[in-house]
Short mmCIF file of all heavy atoms in Angstrom, two decimals:
data_model
loop_
_atom_site.label_atom_id
_atom_site.label_comp_id
_atom_site.label_asym_id
_atom_site.label_seq_id
_atom_site.Cartn_x
_atom_site.Cartn_y
_atom_site.Cartn_z
N THR A 960 10.41 -16.48 11.89
CA THR A 960 10.52 -16.85 10.48
C THR A 960 9.15 -16.81 9.83
O THR A 960 9.02 -16.44 8.66
CB THR A 960 11.13 -18.27 10.32
OG1 THR A 960 12.28 -18.34 11.14
CG2 THR A 960 11.52 -18.54 8.89
N MET A 961 8.13 -17.19 10.61
CA MET A 961 6.77 -17.13 10.04
C MET A 961 6.41 -15.70 9.68
O MET A 961 5.91 -15.42 8.59
CB MET A 961 5.76 -17.69 11.05
CG MET A 961 5.83 -19.19 11.24
SD MET A 961 4.68 -19.76 12.50
CE MET A 961 3.12 -19.77 11.64
N ILE A 962 6.65 -14.78 10.60
CA ILE A 962 6.31 -13.38 10.29
C ILE A 962 7.47 -12.78 9.50
O ILE A 962 8.56 -12.54 10.04
CB ILE A 962 6.09 -12.54 11.58
CG1 ILE A 962 5.10 -13.24 12.50
CG2 ILE A 962 5.59 -11.14 11.22
CD1 ILE A 962 4.84 -12.50 13.81
N GLY A 963 7.25 -12.62 8.21
CA GLY A 963 8.29 -12.01 7.36
C GLY A 963 7.66 -10.80 6.73
O GLY A 963 7.39 -9.79 7.40
N SER A 964 7.34 -10.90 5.44
CA SER A 964 6.64 -9.78 4.82
C SER A 964 5.20 -10.15 4.48
O SER A 964 4.38 -9.28 4.21
CB SER A 964 7.37 -9.36 3.54
OG SER A 964 7.34 -10.44 2.63
N GLY A 965 4.88 -11.44 4.52
CA GLY A 965 3.57 -11.92 4.07
C GLY A 965 2.38 -11.19 4.66
O GLY A 965 1.52 -10.70 3.92
N ILE A 966 2.32 -11.09 5.97
CA ILE A 966 1.13 -10.50 6.60
C ILE A 966 0.99 -9.01 6.26
O ILE A 966 -0.09 -8.44 6.34
CB ILE A 966 1.14 -10.73 8.14
CG1 ILE A 966 -0.15 -10.22 8.79
CG2 ILE A 966 2.34 -10.07 8.81
CD1 ILE A 966 -1.42 -10.85 8.31
N LYS A 1039 14.99 -23.59 -0.16
CA LYS A 1039 15.50 -22.75 0.94
C LYS A 1039 16.14 -21.48 0.38
O LYS A 1039 15.80 -20.38 0.81
CB LYS A 1039 16.49 -23.51 1.81
CG LYS A 1039 15.87 -24.68 2.54
CD LYS A 1039 15.14 -24.22 3.78
CE LYS A 1039 14.43 -25.34 4.48
NZ LYS A 1039 13.44 -24.86 5.42
N SER A 1042 13.46 -19.09 -1.03
CA SER A 1042 12.67 -18.31 -0.06
C SER A 1042 13.56 -17.27 0.63
O SER A 1042 13.11 -16.16 0.91
CB SER A 1042 11.88 -19.17 0.92
OG SER A 1042 12.64 -20.18 1.48
N LEU A 1043 14.83 -17.63 0.83
CA LEU A 1043 15.73 -16.63 1.42
C LEU A 1043 15.85 -15.41 0.51
O LEU A 1043 15.73 -14.26 0.96
CB LEU A 1043 17.11 -17.26 1.67
CG LEU A 1043 18.18 -16.34 2.20
CD1 LEU A 1043 17.75 -15.72 3.52
CD2 LEU A 1043 19.50 -17.10 2.40
N ILE A 1046 12.70 -13.23 0.59
CA ILE A 1046 12.56 -12.39 1.78
C ILE A 1046 13.58 -11.25 1.73
O ILE A 1046 13.27 -10.10 2.07
CB ILE A 1046 12.74 -13.20 3.08
CG1 ILE A 1046 11.86 -14.46 3.05
CG2 ILE A 1046 12.36 -12.39 4.31
CD1 ILE A 1046 12.13 -15.41 4.20
N LEU A 1150 -0.75 -19.32 3.01
CA LEU A 1150 0.21 -20.26 3.59
C LEU A 1150 1.65 -19.78 3.43
O LEU A 1150 2.52 -20.14 4.21
CB LEU A 1150 0.03 -21.65 2.97
CG LEU A 1150 -1.20 -22.40 3.50
CD1 LEU A 1150 -1.51 -23.62 2.66
CD2 LEU A 1150 -1.04 -22.80 4.97
N TRP A 1151 1.90 -18.94 2.44
CA TRP A 1151 3.25 -18.36 2.34
C TRP A 1151 3.53 -17.50 3.58
O TRP A 1151 4.60 -17.54 4.17
CB TRP A 1151 3.40 -17.52 1.05
CG TRP A 1151 4.62 -16.63 1.07
CD1 TRP A 1151 4.64 -15.28 1.24
CD2 TRP A 1151 6.00 -17.03 0.94
NE1 TRP A 1151 5.94 -14.82 1.22
CE2 TRP A 1151 6.80 -15.87 1.04
CE3 TRP A 1151 6.64 -18.26 0.75
CZ2 TRP A 1151 8.19 -15.89 0.96
CZ3 TRP A 1151 8.03 -18.29 0.67
CH2 TRP A 1151 8.78 -17.11 0.77
N ALA A 1152 2.50 -16.75 4.03
CA ALA A 1152 2.67 -15.92 5.22
C ALA A 1152 2.87 -16.78 6.47
O ALA A 1152 3.53 -16.36 7.42
CB ALA A 1152 1.47 -14.99 5.41
N TYR A 1153 2.32 -17.98 6.47
CA TYR A 1153 2.48 -18.88 7.62
C TYR A 1153 3.72 -19.78 7.48
O TYR A 1153 4.06 -20.50 8.40
CB TYR A 1153 1.25 -19.79 7.77
CG TYR A 1153 0.07 -19.13 8.45
CD1 TYR A 1153 -0.93 -18.50 7.72
CD2 TYR A 1153 -0.07 -19.16 9.84
CE1 TYR A 1153 -2.03 -17.92 8.34
CE2 TYR A 1153 -1.16 -18.58 10.46
CZ TYR A 1153 -2.14 -17.97 9.71
OH TYR A 1153 -3.22 -17.40 10.33
N ASP A 1154 4.35 -19.76 6.31
CA ASP A 1154 5.47 -20.69 6.11
C ASP A 1154 6.57 -20.41 7.11
O ASP A 1154 6.84 -19.26 7.45
CB ASP A 1154 6.01 -20.56 4.68
CG ASP A 1154 6.79 -21.80 4.28
OD1 ASP A 1154 6.23 -22.89 4.40
OD2 ASP A 1154 7.96 -21.68 3.89
N GLY A 1155 7.17 -21.48 7.61
CA GLY A 1155 8.20 -21.33 8.64
C GLY A 1155 7.76 -22.02 9.93
O GLY A 1155 8.54 -22.13 10.87
N ASN A 1157 7.57 -24.98 10.57
CA ASN A 1157 8.35 -26.19 10.85
C ASN A 1157 9.81 -25.88 11.18
O ASN A 1157 10.64 -26.75 11.26
CB ASN A 1157 8.32 -27.08 9.60
CG ASN A 1157 8.85 -26.35 8.38
OD1 ASN A 1157 8.91 -25.13 8.38
ND2 ASN A 1157 9.25 -27.06 7.37
N ASN A 1158 10.10 -24.60 11.37
CA ASN A 1158 11.50 -24.17 11.41
C ASN A 1158 12.32 -24.75 12.55
O ASN A 1158 13.49 -25.07 12.39
CB ASN A 1158 11.54 -22.64 11.51
CG ASN A 1158 12.50 -22.07 10.54
OD1 ASN A 1158 12.86 -22.73 9.56
ND2 ASN A 1158 12.97 -20.87 10.79
N TYR A 1188 -2.30 -12.72 12.98
CA TYR A 1188 -2.64 -12.57 11.56
C TYR A 1188 -4.12 -12.29 11.36
O TYR A 1188 -4.50 -11.42 10.57
CB TYR A 1188 -2.27 -13.85 10.79
CG TYR A 1188 -0.79 -13.97 10.44
CD1 TYR A 1188 0.16 -13.10 10.98
CD2 TYR A 1188 -0.34 -14.95 9.56
CE1 TYR A 1188 1.50 -13.22 10.65
CE2 TYR A 1188 1.01 -15.07 9.23
CZ TYR A 1188 1.92 -14.22 9.78
OH TYR A 1188 3.24 -14.33 9.45
N THR A 1234 11.56 -8.55 7.92
CA THR A 1234 12.15 -9.38 6.87
C THR A 1234 13.60 -9.71 7.20
O THR A 1234 14.07 -10.81 6.93
CB THR A 1234 12.06 -8.68 5.50
OG1 THR A 1234 12.39 -7.31 5.69
CG2 THR A 1234 10.67 -8.75 4.93
N ALA A 1237 13.45 -12.52 9.54
CA ALA A 1237 13.04 -13.76 8.87
C ALA A 1237 14.22 -14.34 8.07
O ALA A 1237 14.39 -15.55 7.99
CB ALA A 1237 11.84 -13.52 7.97
N THR A 1241 15.80 -18.01 8.62
CA THR A 1241 15.87 -18.92 7.48
C THR A 1241 17.30 -19.45 7.30
O THR A 1241 17.52 -20.65 7.11
CB THR A 1241 15.41 -18.20 6.20
OG1 THR A 1241 14.11 -17.69 6.45
CG2 THR A 1241 15.34 -19.13 5.02
N THR A 1244 18.34 -22.02 10.05
CA THR A 1244 17.84 -23.39 9.95
C THR A 1244 18.24 -24.07 8.64
O THR A 1244 18.53 -25.26 8.63
CB THR A 1244 16.32 -23.42 10.11
OG1 THR A 1244 15.76 -22.50 9.18
CG2 THR A 1244 15.91 -23.02 11.50
N TYR A 1307 5.79 -31.50 2.71
CA TYR A 1307 5.06 -31.42 3.99
C TYR A 1307 4.10 -32.60 4.08
O TYR A 1307 3.97 -33.24 5.12
CB TYR A 1307 4.25 -30.12 4.10
CG TYR A 1307 5.06 -28.86 4.24
CD1 TYR A 1307 4.65 -27.66 3.64
CD2 TYR A 1307 6.24 -28.84 4.97
CE1 TYR A 1307 5.39 -26.50 3.76
CE2 TYR A 1307 6.98 -27.67 5.09
CZ TYR A 1307 6.55 -26.51 4.48
OH TYR A 1307 7.28 -25.37 4.60
N1 LIG B 2294 6.27 -16.57 6.19
C1 LIG B 2294 7.32 -15.77 5.67
C2 LIG B 2294 6.78 -14.46 5.15
O1 LIG B 2294 5.62 -14.20 5.31
C3 LIG B 2294 8.09 -16.49 4.61
C4 LIG B 2294 8.81 -17.71 5.12
C5 LIG B 2294 9.56 -18.45 4.07
N2 LIG B 2294 9.94 -19.74 4.51
C6 LIG B 2294 11.05 -20.03 5.17
N3 LIG B 2294 11.22 -21.23 5.61
N4 LIG B 2294 11.94 -19.13 5.36
O2 LIG B 2294 7.52 -13.65 4.61
#
Side-chain angles (χ1 to χ4, degrees):
T960 312
M961 288 177 79
I962 309 179
S964 62
I966 185 60
K1039 295 280 176 196
S1042 47
L1043 177 58
I1046 310 172
L1150 285 168
W1151 166 254
Y1153 280 93
D1154 201 53
N1157 57 341
N1158 227 20
Y1188 280 11
T1234 42
T1241 305
T1244 53
Y1307 291 144

